[in-house]
Amino acid sequence: MVVSKMNKDAQMRAAINQKLIETGERERLKELLRAKLIECGWKDQLKAHCKEVIKEKGLEHVTVDDLVAEITPKGRALVPDSVKKELLQRIRTFLAQHASL
Amino acid sequence: MPGLSSGQGGAEGRWQSSEVPGTHQHPPPPCVQPCCRPLCYEQSERRLHKSLQMKMEEMSLSGLDNSKLEAIAQEIYADLVEDSCLGFCFEVHRAVKCGYFFLDDTDPDSMKDFEIVDQPGLDIFGQVFNQWKSKECVCPNCSRSIAASRFAPHLEKCLGMGRNSSRIANRRIANSNNMNKSESDQEDNDDINDNDWSYGSEKKAKKRKSDKNPNSPRRSKSLKHKNGFSVCTSASNTLPLLFSSSGELSNSDPFKYNNSTGISYETLGPDELRNLLTTQCGVISEHTKKMCTRSLRCPQHTDEQRRAVRIYFLGPSAVLPEVESSLDNDSFDMTDSQALISRLQWDGSSDLSPSDSGSSKTSENQGWGLGTNSSESRKTKKKKSHLSLVGTASSLGSNKKKKPKPPAPPTPSIYDDIN
């Protein structure tokens, strides 16, 4: 019973993800997010943070894993509320459009 | 089911990793990437798989309640943000490894040098941006000081050189004064334009005056070109009556109208006064003590008044300009040339006493090869002025030929001959 519910849940999510990619909406959302983040200075903030991290570690010992581990939480936190709201709104609209399929 | 947790990289606990095991057609290969980029590889692998598996089953999204949709939206959002972070990390990593990550860093000293200045009155480089605003220039013509930004327009008007400005202004003045005399307006305007042309070279002692039909623009132009210098073709006989700076004017109390503010002639030089009187009415108002700046046919004043003013300023033989300007306006032809042409030459040496003007006149006559004949009497009348009038009954044609010849210095022999 639990297993079948989880199964159904995962299936739905996978279907939504599929739709996102197929319709190209995912790419559009990504592009929108990137533009918004550059616009609001998120990239610059994150870059400053990166500089600290890299100076700390030394230029030679920087790996992508380290960077991801250091940067991603910070990056998530730094996204402005307005950008987050707009993006979520667009995702919801997309879901509402495709929920009736 | 046994394969429930078979998603790769499921440590993050995100929904992509919790794939349904039963639908796996091709289990993703193990991560073959070097440890440097595991996340990106895994993510793309997962997406590929999902798209493959979704092709097999079409699912209806209906029936999902709002909270679930909201949760899905949040997950999609988190996924997108993570993507962006990942892309950024790749970018930074590449920059670090290629060595250009710290390129835009400069030392604080030079940063301080190029800091953006944010102070009132300074531009962003810390320079005063309105330092030229208050600069003033002194007009060489009227000796007033004018703001530098207004100097060029002022000079244009003051010198009367600009074709358009003076022409438009004068036409407007003329039109506003005698609306019903359009024909004569045209003549006036021509006079004015000619004056504009001639100003610059007035002081070069090359002043000429033609009594006959001075208003024809073509004629005046041809004069200019033939003689190689500009010709003052003012419309009247008042031109020769340049008023002498030393004698007559001071004798006749020139400061009578001292309190005038607008067109005040005591501030005007002889040239300006003469120009003014040949282009404008010039009658002095009783109340304002200013000169009337309207056209020569200004209806407010009578010819008698204008004559009186000219006699007052320029001497007893002043004649109203319009007396001559009523002549026909056609271009230069033989009848023109044969008519009486009084040429005026101003030697520009204002220190000459009236008695000298005779000699200067004759010398110029000689220099220009112009006969003196019919206007002898007039010349004697105007001996006091520094302008010498040369009546040339000879045609303009002869004048043309003499053009390149500069005025010769006075030679006593010819002087004696003429006199």
Side-chain angles (χ1 to χ4, degrees):
Chain A
M1 163 77 183
V2 174
V3 169
S4 73
K5 190 176 186 326
M6 282 184 70
N7 192 3
K8 186 133 197 300
D9 220 31
Q11 275 184 352
M12 276 187 290
R13 290 173 184 214
I16 291 167
N17 209 24
Q18 169 76 9
K19 276 274 177 249
L20 267 177
I21 294 166
E22 272 178 2
T23 56
E25 182 71 8
R26 195 187 152 87
E27 277 308 305
R28 281 195 290 276
L29 287 173
K30 251 171 97 169
E31 197 49 51
L32 174 78
L33 178 65
R34 198 195 337 264
K36 289 276 172 196
L37 288 181
I38 291 172
E39 193 178 280
C40 70
W42 174 87
K43 209 171 173 179
D44 293 330
Q45 283 175 285
L46 221 55
K47 199 167 184 173
H49 181 65
C50 264
K51 276 178 186 162
E52 290 170 25
V53 171
I54 290 164
K55 273 177 187 160
E56 218 172 85
K57 286 187 183 298
L59 209 60
E60 305 303 317
H61 309 103
V62 177
T63 64
V64 173
D65 282 339
D66 292 340
L67 277 180
V68 170
E70 293 269 2
I71 296 305
T72 307
K74 183 105 181 164
R76 242 187 243 133
L78 281 176
V79 177
D81 272 353
S82 61
V83 176
K84 181 172 177 175
K85 261 181 203 156
E86 188 180 345
L87 216 65
L88 279 175
Q89 194 50 49
R90 278 195 65 158
I91 295 169
R92 278 189 210 112
T93 313
F94 174 84
L95 289 179
Q97 278 171 358
H98 294 271
S100 56
L101 289 178
Chain B
M1 283 179 58
L4 237 177
S5 58
S6 70
Q8 314 83 14
E12 298 142 270
R14 287 162 56 218
W15 60 280
Q16 287 100 329
S17 52
S18 60
E19 284 169 354
V20 185
T23 59
H24 271 279
Q25 302 295 316
H26 312 283
C31 181
V32 293
Q33 285 294 104
C35 66
C36 194
R37 342 173 69 178
L39 284 175
C40 113
Y41 182 72
E42 274 181 22
Q43 281 180 349
S44 60
E45 271 300 298
R46 252 178 266 140
R47 268 174 220 138
L48 177 69
H49 258 273
K50 247 169 275 168
S51 66
L52 280 175
Q53 109 197 17
M54 280 304 112
K55 288 220 166 81
M56 327 215 104
E57 41 180 292
E58 272 302 323
M59 280 203 51
S60 169
L61 294 179
S62 59
L64 283 176
D65 52 22
N66 276 342
S67 64
K68 246 178 205 159
L69 277 180
E70 184 61 30
I72 290 172
Q74 291 283 351
E75 281 168 9
I76 293 171
Y77 162 75
D79 193 29
L80 288 168
V81 169
E82 206 130 315
D83 262 10
S84 287
C85 283
L86 193 67
F88 176 76
C89 286
F90 288 152
E91 217 173 90
V92 169
H93 184 256
R94 179 176 160 78
V96 169
K97 293 301 174 192
C98 293
Y100 60 84
F101 186 64
F102 291 104
L103 273 189
D104 55 347
D105 272 1
T106 43
D107 55 315
D109 289 343
S110 56
M111 285 302 282
K112 208 163 275 178
D113 282 348
F114 300 109
E115 223 168 333
I116 291 177
V117 178
D118 186 14
Q119 285 170 20
L122 302 182
D123 62 8
I124 60 164
F125 305 110
Q127 292 157 346
V128 184
F129 59 83
N130 54 0
Q131 55 184 340
W132 294 102
K133 237 178 201 170
S134 56
K135 283 279 188 312
E136 293 207 328
C137 304
V138 176
C139 174
N141 193 37
C142 65
S143 311
R144 275 184 287 180
S145 67
I146 294 108
S149 57
R150 296 294 308 160
F151 182 64
H154 165 81
L155 202 60
E156 192 178 46
K157 291 206 174 63
C158 193
L159 293 178
M161 296 295 263
R163 277 176 66 85
N164 286 334
S165 62
S166 62
R167 179 171 295 179
I168 289 164
N170 284 316
R171 187 159 294 163
R172 198 167 50 230
I173 290 167
N175 282 341
S176 65
N177 282 315
N178 36 9
M179 301 289 279
N180 51 352
K181 294 181 182 176
S182 59
E183 186 205 350
S184 49
D185 281 350
Q186 194 49 50
E187 287 181 8
D188 287 346
N189 290 333
D190 287 335
D191 296 344
I192 288 155
N193 294 334
D194 289 337
N195 283 333
D196 291 344
W197 276 95
S198 68
Y199 183 85
S201 44
E202 255 179 8
K203 299 215 168 88
K204 291 171 188 160
K206 308 285 174 58
K207 188 151 294 262
R208 307 207 129 209
K209 170 73 182 74
S210 97
D211 274 346
K212 162 71 181 172
N213 190 17
N215 296 322
S216 162
R218 244 168 90 192
R219 209 249 203 92
S220 59
K221 235 167 222 167
S222 69
L223 278 177
K224 272 176 254 176
H225 292 151
K226 274 154 198 156
N227 291 326
F229 49 80
S230 49
V231 181
C232 180
T233 54
S234 289
S236 72
N237 248 339
T238 60
L239 243 183
L241 304 171
L242 232 194
F243 84 126
S244 70
S245 52
S246 52
E248 288 174 356
L249 185 67
S250 51
N251 290 341
S252 57
D253 186 16
F255 303 111
K256 193 171 158 188
Y257 299 105
N258 255 351
N259 57 347
S260 65
T261 53
I263 306 286
S264 56
Y265 25 87
E266 69 266 18
T267 63
L268 296 174
D271 292 346
E272 289 161 315
L273 190 65
R274 191 188 57 250
N275 271 340
L276 200 128
L277 285 178
T278 53
T279 57
Q280 293 174 351
C281 173
V283 173
I284 294 150
S285 160
E286 287 295 322
H287 309 290
T288 62
K289 310 290 189 205
K290 287 181 206 162
M291 289 174 96
C292 174
T293 58
R294 278 174 283 225
S295 84
L296 285 169
R297 288 171 185 77
C298 149
Q300 277 200 349
H301 303 104
T302 64
D303 281 357
E304 271 312 306
Q305 288 175 299
R306 280 190 273 274
R307 201 185 306 275
V309 167
R310 278 158 182 77
I311 286 168
Y312 168 70
F313 280 117
L314 305 172
S317 55
V319 185
L320 263 185
E322 48 263 283
V323 174
E324 287 85 12
S325 60
S326 60
L327 287 170
D328 60 336
N329 199 17
D330 56 358
S331 58
F332 167 66
D333 56 17
M334 277 314 286
T335 53
D336 277 345
S337 63
Q338 282 168 356
L340 177 73
I341 299 167
S342 288
R343 299 204 165 253
L344 175 72
Q345 287 190 326
W346 183 39
D347 57 8
S349 54
S350 56
D351 54 349
L352 280 178
S353 70
S355 59
D356 287 335
S357 57
S359 70
S360 69
K361 163 189 67 193
T362 50
S363 70
E364 278 155 12
N365 286 345
Q366 183 265 332
W368 287 92
L370 301 173
T372 66
N373 45 14
S374 59
S375 52
E376 279 292 337
S377 60
R378 195 182 290 172
K379 274 187 290 179
T380 54
K381 237 197 287 182
K382 292 154 188 171
K383 260 188 177 177
K384 279 175 193 167
S385 75
H386 288 169
L387 295 169
S388 57
L389 180 71
V390 181
T392 55
S394 59
S395 71
L396 268 176
S398 73
N399 202 18
K400 282 180 222 163
K401 290 165 200 154
K402 308 281 157 81
K403 171 200 69 170
K405 204 198 274 183
T411 47
S413 61
I414 291 176
Y415 175 88
D416 291 337
D417 283 348
I418 290 168
N419 283 342

